Amino acid sequence: MEHNLEHTIALLTRTPAALDALLRDLPEEWTHRNEGENTWSAFDVVGHLIHADRTDWMPRARTILEFGETQPFGPFDRFGHVHECAGKTLGQLLDEFARIRRENLDDLRALHLTREDLARRGLHPALGAVTLGELLATWAAHDLNHLHQISRVMAHQYREAVGPWSRYLGVMSCGRHSGS
Amino acid sequence: MEHNLEHTIALLTRTPAALDALLRDLPEEWTHRNEGENTWSAFDVVGHLIHADRTDWMPRARTILEFGETQPFGPFDRFGHVHECAGKTLGQLLDEFARIRRENLDDLRALHLTREDLARRGLHPALGAVTLGELLATWAAHDLNHLHQISRVMAHQYREAVGPWSRYLGVMSCGRHSGS
């Protein structure tokens, strides 16, 4: 389907509550284990989502609206979650994600973006010209990308426990293609 | 990690609320579209989870406890969701999933399974000998397998909308390895 701002907002609105329902108070064996060295746990992914909401999506949307293609987006720190997570519990991260997402969506709605606005172009430092609509669609798809990752990382913890059923569970053979 | 019954129950308890938070009242463009012919939408997957809770996990657990390896499990109908979904709204399916999961977990807890029980073996018609612990671990991993599928199917709907960002979103290039 084409990008539709209301559909994007509908998805973005639901992600914090979905992750909260899945992860809050779950044993740390599920939430704090990863897929091996230099990979992320569900806890790390929630920190990454907070960091992206803080530094990526809305700041880049404002850059497009203010500067168009004359100023590239600033860099995104893929390890920014380390700072977000330091000293926090998963419950605190889930609270923080819900709060920052709500604020960002309030800000997004307040922009009253038109179809013409969504077609405005900005400059991604690696991808080149992108539209505001593509940026906002990517915000939603990025949530799904990391929900996909979280479900894979958690399933990985039971790769031995399921015994011979592992061959029937595609998630067990999914490559690490949704972010390390 | 090894199979741990409390961890399995903790995960199984949360899945219905997580899917409810993600999917309820979301536009049908997200929930009722699939990845092409003979593939499933998020709506179909919820129907499949209901069907599996109704006919697979607890009935097979009881078969192991009653018959051990002397009687193989009955077949599972991978298209049983068609009947589960017929004439229903997604909201009705989410309500039904929450209800049947709660009942099944009440039944599971009432069995007061011991470590010895979890080591008891049953006979899978294709996989051969499996333990009750493996069956219950697979129940939890199967939830994650289909959460992984739902996030992939939904992301697929924005494969064009994200423009050049698709190359950064691993979920867009994930094979259909978690169930059709």
Side-chain angles (χ1 to χ4, degrees), chain A residues 86-104:
Chain A
K88 306 257 178 71
T89 65
L90 179 54
Q92 288 172 317
L93 290 188
L94 290 166
D95 290 341
E96 176 65 10
F97 183 41
R99 188 190 63 75
I100 197 166
R101 176 59 58 89
R102 193 167 52 242
E103 289 174 2
N104 276 329

Side-chain angles (χ1 to χ4, degrees), chain A residues 1 4 7-8 14 21-22 24-25 29-30 33 126 134 138 145 148 151 157-158 165 168 170-171 174 177, chain B residues 1 4 7-8 14 21-22 24-25 29-30 33 126 138 145 148 151 157-158 161 165 168 170-171 174 177:
Chain A
M1 60 179 166
N4 175 307
H7 294 171
T8 292
R14 283 163 174 77
L22 181 66
R24 189 179 291 268
D25 298 328
E29 287 82 356
W30 284 121
R33 294 193 182 181
E134 288 167 347
T138 302
N145 195 62
H148 182 257
S151 58
Q157 309 310 320
Y158 261 16
W165 266 288
Y168 288 174
V171 69
C174 177
H177 47 215
Chain B
M1 58 179 166
N4 175 307
H7 294 170
T8 293
R14 284 164 174 75
L22 181 67
R24 189 178 292 268
D25 297 329
E29 286 81 356
W30 285 120
R33 294 193 183 181
T138 302
N145 195 63
H148 182 258
S151 57
Q157 310 312 319
Y158 261 16
W165 266 289
Y168 289 174
V171 68
C174 177
H177 46 215

Side-chain angles (χ1 to χ4, degrees), chain B residues 50-97:
Chain B
I50 294 168
H51 187 69
D53 259 48
R54 193 187 309 286
T55 67
D56 191 328
W57 312 109
M58 285 303 291
R60 288 182 170 191
R62 291 194 189 91
T63 298
I64 293 177
L65 292 170
E66 194 166 348
F67 299 106
E69 293 180 80
T70 66
Q71 182 173 311
F73 304 145
F76 177 71
D77 180 3
R78 288 192 63 253
F79 295 94
H81 68 279
V82 175
H83 172 71
E84 298 288 352
C85 293
K88 307 256 179 69
T89 66
L90 178 55
Q92 288 172 316
L93 291 187
L94 290 165
D95 289 341
E96 175 66 10
F97 183 40

